[in-house]
Amino acid sequence: MIDRNSTAVYRGSPVDVREVGRSLNVGYVVAGSIQRQGDQVWVTAQLLDATTAAHIWSERWDRPLQDIFAVQSELAEQVTAKLAGHSGTIFVAGKDTAKCKRPENLSAYELYLLGTEAQQRGTKEGTEESLRLLKRSLEIDPKLARAWTALAWSYTLLRGWADDTAEWRQGRLDAARRAVELDPLDAEAHAALGTILGQAGDFAQAEAAFDKALSLNPNSVDILTFYAHWASTLGKPERGVEAAEKAIRLNPNLPVAALNTYSYTYFMAGRYEDVLRFLDRKPRETYRRTNFVFRAASLAALGQQEKARAEVAEALARYPRLTIESFAVLDPMWNGPERQRLIETMRQAGFPACAKAEERAGLSKPIELSECSPPRTAN
């Protein structure tokens, strides 16, 4: 981002955007205008590729003059939301450019873009491909902080497709810490670290990491979404809903990953109809264990028992080891109220109760459901 004083020289005169790009060493230029007539203000903005002068995006806003200061904040939020983040215009433009290049000629940053895109497909295959691409990126440039952050997310997503492993847990923690070390002003790196610390049950440090992320970039759709996923676990479910609603207002075109997050956010706030609304927008082939659990549990909580049972049956066909105990009790990522909500609604839905004995091995203070005592042997 270039300071506005560097661009003031171009105000009011026709310029070649490619010259601006070369002079300021930037990849993209946002140009716009403000017009006033009576009590109305018209603002236009457009994004241009500074290398080719190609038009990428434009928008127009009409607002009453008396709202001018609110307009200033609103426009800044909307432009940031439309241009930045994993669903933003700049990311998409860079990804499309990378796709046009031969694989052997891809730079570390282009491999990062393609790895992030693969991650956003919301499938097991896409997540595995993202790991390969991001590791290649970091082989070329081990100091690319964004690639470390994306690698942490890929390791995190893997746990949605299979049982978590010690290798994945260490991999995502190391990647997130490396990202923060390389770029302590990157809000997403702090959000990734907060997520991973939360998954390990370290809620105090997780909250500190999220607070840092939000202070660095309070209007980022991505950061708001990450926080929305954890606010309930941090004891603030309604703040999670507020963050989700702000993110949706800034970017209504929700990616698949956001649907996962918001279904969880609303589930933990007890807004079960909203959970189903988000999950209805998610392709069934991208459903993970959490999606089946929240869908079946929400249906049961709403009294739709027959539909809940059907969801449980499909979930168990895909994940035979899925039980109330393994999902809601033994995983350290839930706090007390969340765990209780899950236990009650998963019971209503008809999920099997007890985990296998080997799943409880190594836990220093295992928590058990009453119906699962005394400890069982593996079967």
Side-chain angles (χ1 to χ4, degrees):
M1 186 75 71
I2 298 296
D3 182 83
R4 66 176 183 173
N5 293 324
S6 300
T7 60
V9 65
Y10 302 109
R11 184 181 300 143
S13 59
V15 294
D16 185 333
V17 70
R18 289 165 293 192
E19 281 186 24
V20 176
R22 286 191 294 269
S23 174
L24 299 179
N25 192 28
V26 296
Y28 300 91
V29 172
V30 176
S33 65
I34 301 176
Q35 294 180 322
R36 173 185 171 184
Q37 183 174 351
D39 293 332
Q40 287 294 113
V41 174
W42 288 270
V43 181
T44 61
Q46 60 178 329
L47 178 71
L48 303 169
D49 187 318
T51 303
T52 64
H55 177 273
I56 296 175
W57 165 86
S58 65
E59 187 63 270
R60 175 187 173 96
W61 296 269
D62 300 342
R63 293 293 187 275
L65 181 61
Q66 63 266 29
D67 295 339
I68 189 65
F69 293 112
V71 169
Q72 186 177 26
S73 298
E74 180 185 340
L75 296 187
E77 289 182 0
Q78 289 194 25
V79 169
T80 300
K82 289 177 183 295
L83 303 188
H86 293 155
S87 58
T89 306
I90 291 177
F91 177 87
V92 173
K95 174 200 68 180
D96 290 343
T97 299
K99 283 181 172 180
C100 295
K101 297 183 70 172
R102 295 173 62 85
E104 61 270 21
N105 295 332
L106 290 171
S107 68
Y109 182 70
E110 288 164 335
L111 286 164
Y112 151 75
L113 290 175
L114 294 177
T116 306
E117 183 206 23
Q119 187 183 95
Q120 291 175 338
R121 292 176 202 158
T123 64
K124 180 175 183 288
E125 295 73 21
T127 303
E128 291 170 342
E129 183 183 349
S130 76
L131 274 177
R132 292 192 294 271
L133 290 165
L134 292 166
K135 287 179 178 179
R136 281 180 58 199
S137 169
L138 289 165
E139 287 173 2
I140 297 172
D141 183 1
K143 293 187 177 181
L144 183 56
R146 291 184 182 184
W148 284 110
T149 301
L151 184 65
W153 289 130
S154 289
Y155 276 122
T156 299
L157 289 171
L158 281 175
R159 73 196 300 270
W161 305 109
D163 292 336
D164 207 3
T165 69
E167 178 187 355
W168 294 350
R169 288 192 291 272
Q170 194 61 50
R172 60 182 176 251
L173 181 60
D174 290 345
R177 284 179 169 161
R178 183 62 174 149
V180 169
E181 176 187 339
L182 287 168
D183 190 354
L185 297 181
D186 185 347
E188 187 181 348
H190 289 279
L193 181 59
T195 295
I196 291 156
L197 290 168
Q199 288 172 343
D202 190 346
F203 299 142
Q205 290 300 312
E207 185 166 17
F210 279 115
D211 286 345
K212 181 66 174 178
L214 288 166
S215 71
L216 288 168
N217 199 346
N219 293 317
S220 164
V221 172
D222 292 333
I223 302 304
L224 288 165
T225 300
F226 300 144
Y227 176 72
H229 186 79
W230 280 95
S232 170
T233 308
L234 301 176
K236 301 169 182 175
E238 291 307 320
R239 279 196 65 192
V241 170
E242 290 172 8
E245 290 178 346
K246 182 176 180 180
I248 294 167
R249 187 173 68 252
L250 290 169
N251 181 19
N253 300 316
L254 303 179
V256 170
L259 297 173
N260 292 329
T261 295
Y262 300 149
S263 61
Y264 161 79
T265 300
Y266 284 83
F267 180 87
M268 290 305 177
R271 293 173 54 168
Y272 302 118
E273 291 180 348
D274 288 313
V275 175
L276 299 176
R277 177 168 57 86
F278 285 115
L279 289 177
D280 283 343
R281 296 173 61 177
K282 183 176 166 65
R284 291 290 290 200
E285 63 270 18
T286 68
Y287 265 45
R288 300 182 292 176
R289 282 179 294 190
T290 51
N291 302 136
F292 282 111
V293 169
F294 293 145
R295 186 176 190 87
S298 294
L299 287 165
L302 292 168
Q304 301 181 40
Q305 202 63 42
E306 186 175 341
K307 290 182 179 179
R309 296 280 180 179
E311 295 292 340
V312 171
E314 186 173 350
L316 294 176
R318 296 198 194 188
Y319 305 104
R321 294 165 66 93
L322 176 58
T323 63
I324 299 173
E325 197 175 37
S326 66
F327 188 89
V329 178
L330 302 183
D331 194 321
M333 70 181 290
W334 314 115
N335 66 19
E338 287 181 318
R339 185 173 286 114
Q340 192 59 40
R341 184 184 295 275
L342 281 166
I343 290 171
E344 291 174 0
T345 54
M346 288 180 75
R347 273 184 178 142
Q348 288 178 314
F351 282 99
C354 303
K356 300 288 193 298
E358 64 266 23
E359 295 178 79
R360 306 173 73 256
L363 294 174
S364 57
K365 295 181 179 179
I367 308 168
E368 284 193 323
L369 296 178
S370 58
E371 60 263 48
C372 299
S373 298
R376 294 121 295 152
T377 58
N379 51 34

